[in-house]
Amino acid sequence: MKNIVLFGKPGSGKGTQASLIEKKYNYIHISTGDVFRNNINQKTQLGLEAKKFIDSGDLVPDNLTIKMLEDKVENYKTPSGFIFDGFPRTKSQARALDEFLHTKKTKISLVIELFVDDKILIKRLIERGKSSGRTDDQNELKILNRLDNYNDKTFPLVEYYKKQKKFFSVNGESSVEDTFKKLCNIVDKF
Ligand code: ADP
Protein backbone atom coordinates (compact mmCIF):
# COMPACT_ATOMS: atom_id res chain seq x y z
CA MET A 1 0.00 0.00 0.00
CA LYS A 2 1.40 3.40 -0.98
CA ASN A 3 0.24 6.57 0.78
CA ILE A 4 1.23 9.89 -0.70
CA VAL A 5 0.88 13.37 0.76
CA LEU A 6 0.68 16.13 -1.85
CA PHE A 7 2.03 19.18 -0.18
CA GLY A 8 2.05 22.83 -1.20
CA LYS A 9 0.58 26.26 -0.84
CA PRO A 10 -3.00 27.09 -1.84
CA GLY A 11 -3.22 27.14 -5.63
CA SER A 12 -0.07 25.07 -6.17
CA GLY A 13 -2.06 22.46 -8.11
CA LYS A 14 -2.45 19.75 -5.49
CA GLY A 15 -6.06 18.95 -6.42
CA THR A 16 -5.37 18.74 -10.15
CA GLN A 17 -2.32 16.53 -9.74
CA ALA A 18 -3.97 14.35 -7.08
CA SER A 19 -6.83 13.59 -9.50
CA LEU A 20 -4.32 12.56 -12.20
CA ILE A 21 -2.44 10.33 -9.74
CA GLU A 22 -5.74 8.80 -8.62
CA LYS A 23 -6.58 7.85 -12.23
CA LYS A 24 -3.15 6.50 -13.14
CA TYR A 25 -2.35 4.55 -9.97
CA ASN A 26 -5.82 3.77 -8.72
CA TYR A 27 -5.25 5.29 -5.29
CA ILE A 28 -8.00 6.97 -3.31
CA HIS A 29 -7.82 10.78 -3.47
CA ILE A 30 -8.89 12.53 -0.28
CA SER A 31 -9.09 16.33 -0.48
CA THR A 32 -9.94 17.76 2.93
CA GLY A 33 -11.01 21.03 1.27
CA ASP A 34 -13.50 19.14 -0.95
CA VAL A 35 -14.85 17.15 1.99
CA PHE A 36 -15.40 20.40 3.92
CA ARG A 37 -17.09 22.06 0.93
CA ASN A 38 -19.40 19.05 0.46
CA ASN A 39 -20.34 19.26 4.14
CA ILE A 40 -21.02 22.98 3.79
CA ASN A 41 -23.24 22.38 0.73
CA GLN A 42 -25.14 19.66 2.54
CA LYS A 43 -25.43 21.86 5.66
CA THR A 44 -24.14 19.14 7.98
CA GLN A 45 -23.07 19.97 11.54
CA LEU A 46 -19.42 19.67 10.47
CA GLY A 47 -20.09 21.99 7.52
CA LEU A 48 -21.71 24.58 9.75
CA GLU A 49 -18.76 24.49 12.15
CA ALA A 50 -16.11 24.63 9.41
CA LYS A 51 -17.72 27.31 7.26
CA LYS A 52 -16.64 30.39 9.21
CA PHE A 53 -12.99 29.30 9.20
CA ILE A 54 -12.93 28.44 5.51
CA ASP A 55 -14.73 31.63 4.48
CA SER A 56 -12.12 33.77 6.18
CA GLY A 57 -9.17 31.75 4.91
CA ASP A 58 -8.31 30.26 8.31
CA LEU A 59 -7.56 26.64 9.05
CA VAL A 60 -10.38 24.56 10.47
CA PRO A 61 -9.44 23.45 14.03
CA ASP A 62 -7.36 20.29 14.26
CA ASN A 63 -9.84 18.22 16.27
CA LEU A 64 -12.59 18.61 13.62
CA THR A 65 -10.21 18.08 10.72
CA ILE A 66 -8.46 15.01 12.11
CA LYS A 67 -11.74 13.31 13.02
CA MET A 68 -13.14 14.00 9.56
CA LEU A 69 -10.04 12.62 7.83
CA GLU A 70 -10.00 9.46 9.93
CA ASP A 71 -13.72 8.83 9.30
CA LYS A 72 -13.13 9.26 5.58
CA VAL A 73 -10.20 6.82 5.50
CA GLU A 74 -12.24 4.28 7.49
CA ASN A 75 -14.76 4.17 4.60
CA TYR A 76 -12.31 2.30 2.39
CA LYS A 77 -11.69 -1.28 3.36
CA THR A 78 -8.94 -2.51 1.01
CA PRO A 79 -7.48 0.47 -0.87
CA SER A 80 -4.20 0.19 -2.81
CA GLY A 81 -3.21 3.57 -1.40
CA PHE A 82 -4.30 7.09 -0.53
CA ILE A 83 -3.35 10.49 -1.87
CA PHE A 84 -3.84 13.07 0.83
CA ASP A 85 -4.46 16.50 -0.69
CA GLY A 86 -4.58 19.35 1.83
CA PHE A 87 -3.84 17.15 4.84
CA PRO A 88 -1.86 17.37 7.06
CA ARG A 89 -1.50 21.14 7.42
CA THR A 90 -0.27 21.33 11.02
CA LYS A 91 2.22 19.38 13.09
CA SER A 92 -0.49 17.89 15.24
CA GLN A 93 -2.34 16.72 12.12
CA ALA A 94 0.88 15.12 10.85
CA ARG A 95 1.46 13.33 14.15
CA ALA A 96 -2.17 12.21 14.29
CA LEU A 97 -1.92 10.86 10.74
CA ASP A 98 1.26 8.90 11.54
CA GLU A 99 -0.36 7.38 14.62
CA PHE A 100 -3.61 6.62 12.81
CA LEU A 101 -1.88 4.93 9.86
CA HIS A 102 0.25 2.97 12.29
CA THR A 103 -2.93 1.47 13.80
CA LYS A 104 -3.84 0.42 10.24
CA LYS A 105 -0.39 -1.19 9.83
CA THR A 106 0.59 1.25 7.10
CA LYS A 107 2.39 4.61 6.83
CA ILE A 108 3.07 7.65 4.68
CA SER A 109 5.35 6.49 1.87
CA LEU A 110 6.27 9.88 0.47
CA VAL A 111 5.47 13.56 0.61
CA ILE A 112 5.73 15.57 -2.58
CA GLU A 113 5.69 19.35 -2.54
CA LEU A 114 4.51 21.34 -5.53
CA PHE A 115 6.57 24.47 -5.38
CA VAL A 116 5.09 27.65 -6.92
CA ASP A 117 6.10 31.28 -6.42
CA ASP A 118 3.64 33.40 -4.39
CA LYS A 119 3.02 35.90 -7.21
CA ILE A 120 1.93 33.09 -9.53
CA LEU A 121 -0.22 31.53 -6.79
CA ILE A 122 -2.11 34.75 -6.14
CA LYS A 123 -2.82 35.15 -9.87
CA ARG A 124 -4.00 31.55 -10.15
CA LEU A 125 -6.29 31.80 -7.13
CA ILE A 126 -7.90 35.08 -8.26
CA GLU A 127 -8.44 33.49 -11.69
CA ARG A 128 -9.92 30.34 -10.10
CA GLY A 129 -12.21 32.49 -7.93
CA LYS A 130 -13.88 33.91 -11.05
CA SER A 131 -15.35 30.52 -11.94
CA SER A 132 -15.12 28.31 -8.83
CA GLY A 133 -17.55 30.31 -6.72
CA ARG A 134 -15.15 29.83 -3.80
CA THR A 135 -15.44 32.87 -1.58
CA ASP A 136 -11.93 32.26 -0.19
CA ASP A 137 -10.50 32.73 -3.72
CA GLN A 138 -12.28 36.00 -4.45
CA ASN A 139 -10.54 38.32 -2.06
CA GLU A 140 -6.82 39.06 -2.02
CA LEU A 141 -6.75 39.60 1.76
CA LYS A 142 -8.20 36.12 2.35
CA ILE A 143 -5.67 34.66 -0.06
CA LEU A 144 -2.83 36.42 1.78
CA ASN A 145 -4.22 35.11 5.07
CA ARG A 146 -4.13 31.55 3.67
CA LEU A 147 -0.52 32.05 2.59
CA ASP A 148 0.36 33.40 6.06
CA ASN A 149 -1.29 30.38 7.67
CA TYR A 150 0.71 28.13 5.38
CA ASN A 151 3.97 29.81 6.37
CA ASP A 152 3.19 29.70 10.11
CA LYS A 153 1.52 26.32 10.51
CA THR A 154 2.14 24.15 7.47
CA PHE A 155 5.69 25.01 6.39
CA PRO A 156 7.20 23.43 9.58
CA LEU A 157 6.05 20.06 8.21
CA VAL A 158 8.81 20.24 5.59
CA GLU A 159 11.33 19.63 8.38
CA TYR A 160 9.09 17.00 9.97
CA TYR A 161 9.03 14.92 6.77
CA LYS A 162 12.64 15.66 5.81
CA LYS A 163 13.67 14.07 9.11
CA GLN A 164 11.72 10.98 8.08
CA LYS A 165 13.50 11.12 4.67
CA LYS A 166 10.21 11.20 2.83
CA PHE A 167 10.20 14.73 1.42
CA PHE A 168 10.47 15.55 -2.30
CA SER A 169 9.84 18.79 -4.09
CA VAL A 170 8.94 19.48 -7.71
CA ASN A 171 8.49 22.78 -9.44
CA GLY A 172 4.75 23.24 -10.05
CA GLU A 173 5.02 26.31 -12.28
CA SER A 174 5.16 24.46 -15.61
CA SER A 175 2.22 22.87 -17.43
CA VAL A 176 -0.09 20.35 -15.75
CA GLU A 177 1.37 17.60 -18.00
CA ASP A 178 5.01 18.48 -17.25
CA THR A 179 4.36 18.65 -13.52
CA PHE A 180 2.53 15.32 -13.64
CA LYS A 181 5.51 13.67 -15.43
CA LYS A 182 7.83 14.89 -12.68
CA LEU A 183 5.49 13.56 -10.00
CA CYS A 184 5.19 10.16 -11.70
CA ASN A 185 8.99 9.86 -11.87
CA ILE A 186 9.09 10.16 -8.09
CA VAL A 187 6.09 7.90 -7.41
CA ASP A 188 7.47 5.19 -9.76
CA LYS A 189 10.88 5.17 -8.11
CA PHE A 190 9.52 4.78 -4.63
P1 ADP B 1 -6.36 25.43 -0.95
O1 ADP B 1 -5.26 24.40 -1.02
O2 ADP B 1 -6.45 26.26 -2.17
O3 ADP B 1 -6.32 26.25 0.32
P2 ADP B 1 -8.34 23.49 -0.07
O4 ADP B 1 -9.56 23.09 -0.82
O5 ADP B 1 -7.28 22.45 0.15
O6 ADP B 1 -7.75 24.70 -0.91
O7 ADP B 1 -8.72 24.08 1.37
C1 ADP B 1 -9.72 25.06 1.51
C2 ADP B 1 -9.89 25.44 2.97
O8 ADP B 1 -10.35 24.28 3.71
C3 ADP B 1 -8.61 25.86 3.70
O9 ADP B 1 -8.33 27.24 3.52
C4 ADP B 1 -9.01 25.55 5.17
O10 ADP B 1 -9.88 26.52 5.70
C5 ADP B 1 -9.80 24.27 5.03
N1 ADP B 1 -8.91 23.09 5.17
C6 ADP B 1 -8.59 22.19 4.21
N2 ADP B 1 -7.74 21.26 4.67
C7 ADP B 1 -7.50 21.57 5.97
C8 ADP B 1 -6.69 21.03 7.00
N3 ADP B 1 -5.94 19.93 6.79
N4 ADP B 1 -6.68 21.63 8.22
C9 ADP B 1 -7.44 22.70 8.46
N5 ADP B 1 -8.20 23.29 7.53
C10 ADP B 1 -8.24 22.75 6.30
Side-chain angles (χ1 to χ4, degrees), residues 62-178:
D62 281 337
N63 57 343
L64 289 180
T65 308
I66 291 167
K67 166 95 174 54
M68 174 192 86
L69 190 278
E70 293 183 355
D71 287 349
K72 194 83 193 157
V73 168
E74 295 284 6
N75 282 336
Y76 300 96
K77 293 305 167 206
T78 52
S80 47
F82 287 100
I83 312 154
F84 297 108
D85 155 14
F87 189 95
R89 291 196 195 208
T90 64
K91 266 201 176 165
S92 65
Q93 290 181 15
R95 285 194 206 100
L97 182 61
D98 281 347
E99 283 166 24
F100 177 66
L101 293 178
H102 186 71
T103 67
K104 307 258 148 227
K105 301 196 170 31
T106 182
K107 58 179 175 12
I108 293 297
S109 317
L110 72 161
V111 177
I112 312 177
E113 173 190 44
L114 295 170
F115 182 80
V116 178
D117 182 79
D118 281 6
K119 281 205 190 93
I120 299 179
L121 291 174
I122 294 169
K123 264 198 210 142
R124 282 187 185 176
L125 290 170
I126 297 272
E127 208 40 52
R128 181 169 82 183
K130 289 180 189 162
S131 56
S132 69
R134 281 181 55 170
T135 50
D136 57 345
D137 284 345
Q138 290 166 4
N139 173 316
E140 193 156 340
L141 283 178
K142 291 183 187 179
I143 292 175
L144 293 175
N145 187 33
R146 281 153 70 200
L147 291 173
D148 280 348
N149 276 319
Y150 173 92
N151 291 331
D152 289 349
K153 297 177 179 144
T154 310
F155 180 73
L157 295 186
V158 172
E159 207 42 47
Y160 180 87
Y161 286 117
K162 275 188 177 166
K163 272 195 190 140
Q164 298 188 7
K165 303 204 179 343
K166 290 178 181 166
F167 190 82
F168 296 82
S169 185
V170 303
N171 186 301
E173 292 172 359
S174 47
S175 67
V176 169
E177 293 76 18
D178 268 6

Side-chain angles (χ1 to χ4, degrees), residues 40-53:
I40 292 172
N41 289 338
Q42 289 163 17
K43 299 194 165 52
T44 66
Q45 182 61 32
L46 173 67
L48 291 175
E49 287 180 66
K51 188 175 182 343
K52 57 177 180 295
F53 298 100

Side-chain angles (χ1 to χ4, degrees), residues 17 175-186 188:
Q17 297 296 332
S175 67
V176 169
E177 293 76 18
D178 268 6
T179 306
F180 185 53
K181 272 188 204 144
K182 289 183 262 181
L183 281 179
C184 291
N185 282 338
I186 298 175
D188 289 338

